[in-house]
Amino acid sequence: MDFFVQQTLNAIALGGTYALLALGLAVVFSIMKLINFAHGELMTSAGYVLMYCGLHGVPFALSVALAILTSTVLAVLMERVAFRSVRNASGATMLITSFAVATVLQVLFQNLISSRSQPVLLPNFLSESVTVAGFVIGNNKIVAIVATVVMLGFLDWFMKYQKHGIAMRAAAEDFAVARLMGIRANTVIAGAFALSGLLAGVAAVLWVSQRASVDPLMGFTPVLKAFIAAILGGLGSLRGAVAGGFMLGFIEIYLAAFLPPDMQEFRDPIGLGIVVLLLLLRPNGLIPSPGLGAVKA
Amino acid sequence: MRPIRQEEIQVASALLTATSLKVRYGAVEAVRGIDFEIRAGEIVAFLGANGAGKSSTLNALVGLVALASGKVVFDGHEITNGKPETLVSAGLTLSPEGRRIFPTLSVADNLRMGAYSVVSKQKVAEAWERVFELFPILYERRNQLSGTLSGGQQQMLAVGRALMSGPRLLLLDEPSLGLAPKIVEQIFELIVRLREHEVTMAIVEQNVAMCLEVADRGYVMASGRIVFQGNASELKSTTFLQDAYLGGN
């Protein structure tokens, strides 16, 4: 029972990080129909800011703020420099553009910083743990869960009650008509990228706080997972992205915890098999996006 | 002082003037050089068969499709190929064909988006009041997801949403499309009431009879050209209209 509760907390913490990343992908996709594979590099950039801040003794709270600010600004720049000119191009063109942006940034990280993994100095309290009702819980897990809840709450409030959030949802449903209302295409797209950068920054802080290191390809794996989560949840659907992120987190952690030892090496294929099975049952994802042409089951 | 001629007065009071508009989709020419004007306070009908270029004309006015050539002047300013997001604050908006409300937004949020470009809080408050007075049903359903409204209610929402921006010229693209006859009547009654609110309107319609009941003037289009223009009674009696729908020229 003990072990089960521990693993469930781990699953929520990991799933939450996937959810934040998947949400970042979904916000951009829902408006621009772009799958931004350079999302991982936003994470990596925030990771390097944490590394440099650690080296220079910047207080942790400030370095977290700087890291998140960096990925947010980088996301907006990415849109301005790379994606604006291909905005009306085909999905394939935009996808290739995002791969190019990702590659350029990875090479820059390798050549300007280091191709090897760098340690990130973290405050001690993150590696400590507390005992709650007889359960030992790592502080970093608590931080991850709290940060996820706060971010999801913030995003829900923003999308439901803020004029600009509602405008983003309107643009996601019908971009041309949203423009007729006076909703500026550039503003709403830049806003979507800023949000995705913000989410990637928070996810990066959580990711780094579990591993205490950063390398040029750090963002690749989690964003690939987040992409799977976004599809599992229903591509373009924000609630779906959250659901998919948590679902994937639970699948991964429970398989790692409860699969017999001799089957552990098949963990990933089994996990992806479950995802495929879920998609066979629900081809449009767990919570499909109403705006997209639905796949007929 | 020379006497002012009749046509000069007309030009002076034109709210929107379009000169030799052309719209092209690839190799297909949808609108082939048309001229028209819409005067303040008028209801102007654009009639003609499917594919005659009526919707393309309206879409081109608000910048949703690009003009291949031509010139559009609205309220004394040239707005040729203006961006849709800037035209709404100038007082020109379109209620698009097929309603195109935002289905997963509540009725109130749809209306709120309609007033997105309005800066003055007082004007927004007035717009809410006006729209809820015109459409009490939208007030009743304000917290409902708009995708769950009936077709007629969705059309009212689409018109209400367009009215939230306080337009001086409202373009209505097929407002009666797919609606039951009784609802169609309501929509046209509404159009008459809107005129009392000093909204000038251009209407693209399939329902010719109803449209000519409310319109002052109209243009008949066929194959991307205007083949006839006149006031409502002239339009009712012309054979151009039948020809335009039957595909003759």
Side-chain angles (χ1 to χ4, degrees), chain A residues 163-164 166 173-174 179 185 290, chain B residues 85 100 102-104 112 116:
Chain A
K163 188 178 171 187
H164 294 288
I166 301 170
E173 291 205 339
D174 196 326
R179 294 183 70 194
Chain B
E85 52 257 57
R100 289 171 73 174
F102 304 118
T104 67
R112 199 173 171 191
Y116 184 89

Side-chain angles (χ1 to χ4, degrees), chain B residues 190-201:
Chain B
L190 168 82
I191 289 169
V192 174
R193 285 188 66 194
L194 282 182
R195 194 217 311 251
E196 291 160 13
H197 280 79
E198 293 179 342
V199 182
T200 305
M201 278 166 282

Side-chain angles (χ1 to χ4, degrees), chain A residues 20-21 23-28 30-31 39 42 68 71-73 75-76 151 154-156 158-159 164-166 168-169 187-203 238:
Chain A
L20 294 182
L21 287 169
L23 204 46
L25 290 175
V27 166
V28 168
S30 68
I31 288 172
H39 199 64
L42 297 174
I68 294 171
S71 59
T72 308
V73 171
V76 174
M151 284 307 293
F154 162 75
L155 214 74
D156 195 57
F158 179 76
M159 288 294 188
H164 294 288
I166 301 170
M168 270 187 200
R169 285 161 54 212
T187 312
V188 83
I189 290 177
F193 270 88
L195 262 188
S196 84
L198 175 76
L199 290 162
V202 175
L238 303 190

Side-chain angles (χ1 to χ4, degrees), chain B residues 2-246:
Chain B
R2 68 188 173 84
I4 298 171
R5 282 174 300 146
Q6 185 63 31
E7 63 211 63
E8 279 180 274
I9 294 169
Q10 283 181 5
V11 169
S13 63
L15 186 56
L16 182 138
T17 314
T19 321
S20 45
L21 295 194
K22 280 188 185 171
V23 175
R24 230 178 254 130
Y25 303 111
V28 183
E29 211 166 36
V31 179
R32 309 175 182 218
I34 61 172
D35 301 274
F36 60 89
E37 64 173 31
I38 298 161
R39 298 167 209 151
E42 271 189 325
I43 297 179
V44 177
F46 286 83
L47 306 167
N50 266 336
K54 302 164 299 188
S55 292
S56 295
T57 304
L58 293 197
N59 286 335
L61 292 181
V62 295
L64 279 185
V65 301
L67 281 171
S69 68
K71 185 179 169 188
V72 186
V73 175
F74 177 66
D75 196 26
H77 301 282
E78 179 164 354
I79 57 159
T80 313
N81 278 330
K83 286 184 178 170
E85 52 257 57
T86 59
L87 293 176
V88 63
S89 46
L92 173 63
T93 196
L94 165 77
S95 171
E97 183 179 355
R99 310 189 272 269
R100 289 171 73 174
I101 53 161
F102 304 118
T104 67
L105 267 57
S106 69
V107 169
D109 281 345
N110 266 275
L111 294 173
R112 199 173 171 191
M113 287 300 104
Y116 184 89
S117 65
V118 185
V119 185
S120 152
K121 285 214 168 104
Q122 196 200 334
K123 280 196 177 157
V124 176
E126 284 168 13
W128 281 109
E129 210 169 294
R130 178 162 72 152
V131 168
F132 282 151
E133 184 215 315
L134 282 166
F135 308 99
I137 187 75
L138 295 185
Y139 180 74
E140 272 170 47
R141 309 255 157 140
R142 63 194 180 281
N143 295 320
Q144 199 171 318
L145 285 189
S146 58
T148 63
L149 296 177
S150 72
Q153 289 162 356
Q154 288 190 10
Q155 183 60 55
M156 291 176 194
L157 179 58
V159 175
R161 184 179 62 179
L163 288 175
M164 287 298 289
S165 66
R168 283 189 298 147
L169 175 53
L170 173 61
L171 310 175
L172 293 168
D173 198 347
E174 302 276 8
S176 77
L177 192 71
L179 298 180
K182 216 176 156 182
I183 310 289
V184 173
E185 248 171 71
Q186 284 179 19
I187 295 284
F188 279 100
E189 278 165 23
L190 168 82
I191 289 169
V192 174
R193 285 188 66 194
L194 282 182
R195 194 217 311 251
E196 291 160 13
H197 280 79
E198 293 179 342
V199 182
T200 305
M201 278 166 282
I203 308 174
V204 159
E205 254 300 335
Q206 300 273 330
N207 193 327
V208 177
M210 282 295 251
C211 198
L212 289 180
E213 288 302 313
V214 301
D216 300 302
R217 284 193 307 124
Y219 295 92
V220 181
M221 292 184 72
S223 315
R225 289 194 177 84
I226 290 177
V227 293
F228 185 82
Q229 55 176 300
N231 59 35
S233 55
E234 287 169 332
L235 281 166
K236 280 178 203 163
S237 53
T238 177
T239 55
F240 274 101
L241 205 46
Q242 284 115 27
D243 289 346
Y245 278 92
L246 296 172

Side-chain angles (χ1 to χ4, degrees), chain A residues 83-106:
Chain A
F83 295 119
R84 190 167 291 188
S85 51
V86 293
R87 188 180 290 171
N88 298 315
S90 71
T93 305
M94 292 198 281
L95 188 68
I96 299 295
T97 307
S98 84
F99 277 122
V101 172
T103 309
V104 167
L105 287 172
Q106 282 166 15

